[in-house]
Structure formats: structure tokens, C-alpha cells
């Protein structure tokens, strides 16, 4: 689960004297999700051979170096662990602001929300881009 955070106390825990400006937090969060998804895709499912006889640990052709150079992050990759069986963990995003909803639509598998009405829930829970507007259920 990720939240862009808002308090000055949280900023101090991440080597910042103050919190980032509102819009910057969301732009940075979106880039962060792109980076971690790229890292999770560092290896094909069958990349790790663990072949003691040949001494070959992994198949070089099945490794993918991210080499991300963005506004907020510079990450070479690859991730230094084998891929999980499900490939990516479930991404949960909390937030009901306009920017939070846009971030959730673009990146999240699940949106944590507290809508007051069914219409509010529909507005908050549009499925990610390209999913033809399907609605996710929301527990209240």
C-alpha cells in the first residue's frame, strides 16, 4: 500500500527537512511505481537456472536492466532477487483527492477508499487506464 504522505514528521523520516509540494508528491509517486514495476520485471520467470554442474546461476538473456533515469529517481537495476511466483505484489493506493484518484487509476490494483455513497464509490474506483471503465467493489 502506498500513500503520498502529508506530514512534516514523515518527511523527517526520509531525509527531508519538509514535505514535498502536493503535486510533486503525486508525480514522484507515479514515477516510483514505474520504477518498482520495472524492477519486478527484471527477470523472466525461468531466468534462474541454479545449475551447479555448469556453474551457471542465471540465463543472461533473461535478465532485463531497468536503467531508469527520471525526474526523481535514477535506478539501474536489475532487482537482485528472483521474481515472485505472482510476478508483482498487489498495489494498493489510498486517497480520495483528484490527484490520488488519477494515480490510483493509472497504477493501483486496489483502491482503499471511504466513500459516503454508491455514486461516490463509482467515482473513486474506476479501474486503471485501458480497462474500459470497469468498476471495482469497495468495502465500507
Amino acid at each position: 500500500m502506498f500513500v503520498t504522505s502529508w506530514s512534516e514528521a514523515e518527511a523527517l523520516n526520509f531525509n527531508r527537512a519538509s514535505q514535498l509540494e502536493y503535486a510533486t508528491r503525486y508525480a514522484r509517486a507515479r514515477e516510483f511505481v514505474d520504477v518498482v514495476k520495472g524492477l519486478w520485471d527484471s527477470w523472466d520467470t525461468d531466468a534462474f537456472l541454479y545449475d551447479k554442474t555448469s556453474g551457471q546461476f542465471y540465463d543472461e538473456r533473461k535478465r532485463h536492466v531497468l536503467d531508469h533515469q527520471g525526474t526523481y529517481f535514477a535506478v539501474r537495476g536489475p532487482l537482485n532477487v528472483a521474481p515472485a511466483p505472482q510476478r508483482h505484489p498487489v498495489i494498493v493506493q489510498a486517497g480520495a483527492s483528484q490527484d490520488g484518484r488519477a494515480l490510483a487509476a493509472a497504477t493501483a490494483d486496489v483502491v482503499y477508499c471511504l466513500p459516503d455513497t454508491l455514486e461516490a464509490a463509482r467515482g473513486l474506483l474506476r479501474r486503471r487506464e485501458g480497462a474500459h471503465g470497469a468498476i471495482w467493489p469497495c468495502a465500507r
Side-chain angles (χ1 to χ4, degrees):
M1 179 169 181
F2 71 93
V3 180
T4 61
S5 300
W6 56 269
S7 78
E8 297 302 316
E10 291 167 317
L12 295 172
N13 286 338
F14 293 95
N15 198 34
R16 297 194 175 281
S18 63
Q19 192 55 266
L20 295 171
E21 182 259 324
Y22 178 83
T24 302
R25 291 196 314 260
Y26 282 95
R28 185 174 184 269
R30 186 155 186 167
E31 184 178 331
F32 175 81
V33 173
D34 290 344
V35 167
V36 296
K37 283 182 173 181
L39 288 171
W40 291 331
D41 289 336
S42 293
W43 302 95
D44 290 349
T45 304
D46 59 347
F48 289 89
L49 306 172
Y50 308 111
D51 188 338
K52 290 182 182 181
T53 305
S54 70
Q56 190 173 11
F57 182 67
Y58 66 89
D59 183 340
E60 182 78 26
R61 297 167 298 168
K62 297 181 179 189
R63 179 186 75 164
H64 311 286
V65 177
L66 180 60
D67 202 20
H68 175 86
Q69 299 294 323
T71 303
Y72 306 99
F73 301 98
V75 180
R76 182 181 181 279
L79 194 61
N80 61 351
V81 296
Q86 76 277 12
R87 297 298 298 171
H88 295 179
V90 174
I91 296 175
V92 180
Q93 203 274 327
S97 70
Q98 184 80 10
D99 289 335
R101 292 192 310 266
L103 179 64
T107 64
D109 299 308
V110 177
V111 180
Y112 176 78
C113 61
L114 296 172
D116 295 334
T117 66
L118 182 57
E119 280 309 306
R122 286 185 177 129
L124 290 172
L125 301 176
R126 292 281 170 208
R127 196 153 203 197
R128 65 186 300 173
E129 294 168 336
H132 309 295
I135 302 293
W136 291 340
C138 179
R140 285 186 40 177

